[in-house]
Amino acid sequence: EPEVTQTPSHQVTQMGQEVILRCVPISNHLYFYWYRQILGQKVEFLVSFYNNEISEKSEIFDDQFSVERPDGSNFTLKIRSTKLEDSAMYFCASSALGFYEQYFGPGTRLTVT
Amino acid sequence: AQKITQTQPGMFVQEKEAVTLDCTYDTSDPSYGLFWYKQPSSGEMIFLIYQGSYDQQNATEGRYSLNFQKARKSANLVISASQLGDSAMYFCAMREFMDTGRRALTFGSGTRLQVQP
């Protein structure tokens, strides 16, 4: 069964460093998303991406964050200068055009020290 | 105001029994969808079931069913014949469709279900 994959599974970085989280969505899906979950808290929407552009973003998704689809398969989330409060699990998700279900990847746990 | 409310932070159920996880929602959008996801201790988010606001029948997927009461704005998840592997965090989520560009899911705070042998 096709699935969303994410790399790395765990990333440790120092405050102020840039990180890039990578995702490979399900191959025939056209909508891509990033969510984050701070430990013990609810899952929060960051951004959605369709047709090579951001279609929606939350207030969390400030100028620190950017997304890109550099090729036909990868979808990335970049955090330019990480802060301690960026420590969280970051989930990539994708959905097919016309369908509602969003399928999540296994997540990348980001730890900022 | 919270858009998705899950009032049960934790639930216990005996193996083979049924359990209901509560979810209430708040929206003025006449068109919306409700989702349930399972998050095991390993951390991944697993899609379980979807209910559209215009669906006439309650959604079912195997042992999962959604008790959708539109007037009460509730979308409770029912798990029948609980198994030990059902022990996990369960999240209710909603997507509002009025703005067709909008696809973000809004999640509740979750319910931790523990199935006891």
Side-chain angles (χ1 to χ4, degrees), chain A residues 31 33 35 37 41-45 48 55-56 89 91 95-107, chain B residues 2 4 35 37 39 42-47 50 89 91 95 97 100-110:
Chain A
Y31 288 87
Y33 315 84
Y35 291 82
Q37 184 183 30
Q41 298 186 22
K42 63 174 73 173
V43 178
E44 300 173 294
F45 169 75
S48 63
S55 56
E56 185 185 0
M89 182 76 101
F91 291 103
S95 64
L97 183 65
F99 291 88
Y100 304 130
E101 301 93 77
Q102 295 179 18
Y103 292 91
F104 282 68
Chain B
Q2 294 287 331
I4 296 285
F35 303 78
Y37 285 84
Q39 187 177 42
S42 49
E44 71 268 34
M45 295 285 285
I46 303 166
F47 167 73
Y50 166 79
M89 196 76 163
F91 291 98
R95 179 189 159 199
F97 294 135
T100 55
R102 183 136 204 273
R103 290 183 175 258
L105 293 179
T106 302
F107 284 82
S109 54

Side-chain angles (χ1 to χ4, degrees), chain A residues 72-83:
Chain A
S73 59
N74 289 286
F75 178 51
T76 62
L77 174 70
K78 184 194 292 187
I79 310 175
R80 284 193 188 79
S81 177
T82 50
K83 304 173 195 157

Side-chain angles (χ1 to χ4, degrees), chain B residues 82-108:
Chain B
S82 298
Q83 301 172 356
L84 295 177
D86 294 333
S87 294
M89 196 76 163
Y90 288 81
F91 291 98
C92 180
M94 176 173 66
R95 179 189 159 199
E96 294 160 292
F97 294 135
M98 185 181 288
D99 180 348
T100 55
R102 183 136 204 273
R103 290 183 175 258
L105 293 179
T106 302
F107 284 82

Side-chain angles (χ1 to χ4, degrees), chain B residues 33-117:
Chain B
L34 297 154
F35 303 78
W36 277 91
Y37 285 84
K38 173 184 178 181
Q39 187 177 42
S41 55
S42 49
E44 71 268 34
M45 295 285 285
I46 303 166
F47 167 73
L48 295 178
I49 197 166
Y50 166 79
Q51 178 85 43
S53 58
Y54 293 119
D55 292 344
Q56 295 296 315
Q57 293 189 323
N58 287 343
T60 60
E61 287 286 347
R63 292 186 300 110
Y64 304 109
S65 60
L66 204 151
N67 183 2
F68 181 48
Q69 298 190 37
K70 197 169 179 177
R72 293 186 179 181
K73 293 190 173 178
S74 75
N76 299 338
L77 177 70
V78 181
I79 305 174
S80 62
S82 298
Q83 301 172 356
L84 295 177
D86 294 333
S87 294
M89 196 76 163
Y90 288 81
F91 291 98
C92 180
M94 176 173 66
R95 179 189 159 199
E96 294 160 292
F97 294 135
M98 185 181 288
D99 180 348
T100 55
R102 183 136 204 273
R103 290 183 175 258
L105 293 179
T106 302
F107 284 82
S109 54
T111 295
R112 183 168 299 284
L113 177 67
Q114 293 189 52
V115 181
Q116 297 177 318

